Amino acid sequence: RTLADLQVVQWMLTQFATIDELMAAVGKVDIVGIEKSAVIHWRIGDPSGRQVVMEIVGGKVHFYENKIGVLTNAPGFEWQMANLENYVNLRAGSAPNLTLGEVTIEPIGGSSAMLGLPGDFTPPSRFVRAALFRNTAPERATGEAAIEQAFHLLNNFDVPIAVENPDEREMPSATQWTSAIDLTARKIYYKTAYNSTIRCIALSDIDFATVEY
């Protein structure tokens, strides 16, 4: 009946096939955060394409339909969605010329309609970038094409070594791996910090009744 927050993902994946099943059952367990003051949250998807965000705030579970399709680790999802209103001017393409009296100001280079997009590594800035990139990306015809595009977008979020901690010489605070999951084909794709080759684990090819781990 009691789960630590780090146990929740395994509990979800081993007990439920859909978001509705999870939502019906989550009230029957107590989820305990290791850091009591932290807002704990998960982005959950199922093969139907539906996504929700589950957050625990003040000891209570909240679900939000994630129609924007992104999530970062802080602060809460409602705050992140409200913060998007600060970037209502951003869009794909180029900004129009601006006339100031007798002077015409022209944009420099392409993608000028994205001028002002935050580029730092804080969670709110990453949320804005992810929301814009994800929702301007064209729909792809196949799962493999969508995965390739997902990695192209995710390259924009790699955190280099020592950016978060100037004394760092190895990996702990940098991006250690990047993954994308095809729920329909049951395939997990990933790359690691020192090997950019995209590799695949095909879950349908694994007989889980026979493997030891």
Side-chain angles (χ1 to χ4, degrees):
R1 282 191 42 83
T2 302
L3 297 169
D5 51 8
L6 295 180
Q7 296 175 304
V8 171
V9 169
Q10 182 179 1
W11 175 71
M12 291 180 187
L13 292 175
T14 57
Q15 302 300 313
F16 312 108
T18 68
I19 289 171
D20 285 333
E21 290 179 8
L22 167 66
M23 293 176 71
V26 73
K28 301 175 182 178
V29 298
D30 294 320
I31 300 172
V32 180
I34 293 176
E35 295 185 34
K36 301 299 183 184
S37 60
V39 175
I40 308 163
H41 46 207
W42 297 262
R43 183 182 64 85
I44 307 162
D46 66 25
S48 72
R50 182 185 177 192
Q51 289 188 38
V52 300
V53 172
M54 186 178 89
E55 291 185 343
I56 299 176
V57 183
K60 296 182 179 180
V61 177
H62 300 264
F63 283 97
Y64 306 99
E65 296 293 331
N66 189 359
K67 296 181 179 179
I68 200 74
V70 301
L71 182 67
T72 54
N73 50 308
F77 185 70
E78 286 188 307
W79 186 98
Q80 299 276 27
M81 291 299 296
N83 184 54
L84 282 180
E85 296 178 1
N86 290 315
Y87 301 92
V88 68
N89 59 299
L90 299 182
R91 54 189 42 81
S94 297
N97 294 348
L98 174 65
T99 299
L100 300 174
E102 298 181 359
V103 178
T104 298
I105 309 297
E106 299 180 356
I108 300 175
S111 304
S112 54
M114 286 280 190
L115 193 62
L117 185 72
D120 60 80
F121 294 109
T122 62
S125 293
R126 287 187 284 112
F127 189 97
V128 173
R129 288 208 307 284
L132 267 292
F133 294 159
R134 191 261 187 191
N135 287 282
T136 55
E139 185 173 333
R140 298 304 187 190
T142 66
E144 288 188 358
I147 289 292
E148 290 173 352
Q149 178 168 260
F151 277 101
H152 195 59
L153 299 182
L154 289 167
N155 287 339
N156 292 275
F157 301 91
D158 277 355
V159 179
I161 293 174
V163 167
E164 184 173 328
N165 180 358
D167 297 323
E168 188 173 80
R169 292 295 176 267
E170 290 301 328
M171 292 304 300
S173 298
T175 300
Q176 299 182 37
W177 71 86
T178 303
S179 63
I181 299 171
D182 183 340
L183 287 173
T184 302
R186 296 172 58 82
K187 292 181 177 180
I188 300 171
Y189 297 83
Y190 70 97
K191 64 177 183 176
T192 55
Y194 297 128
N195 185 346
S196 294
T197 301
I198 297 174
R199 286 151 279 175
C200 176
I201 300 171
L203 298 179
S204 297
D205 293 344
I206 301 173
D207 183 353
F208 287 96
T210 60
V211 294
E212 294 183 1
Y213 181 76

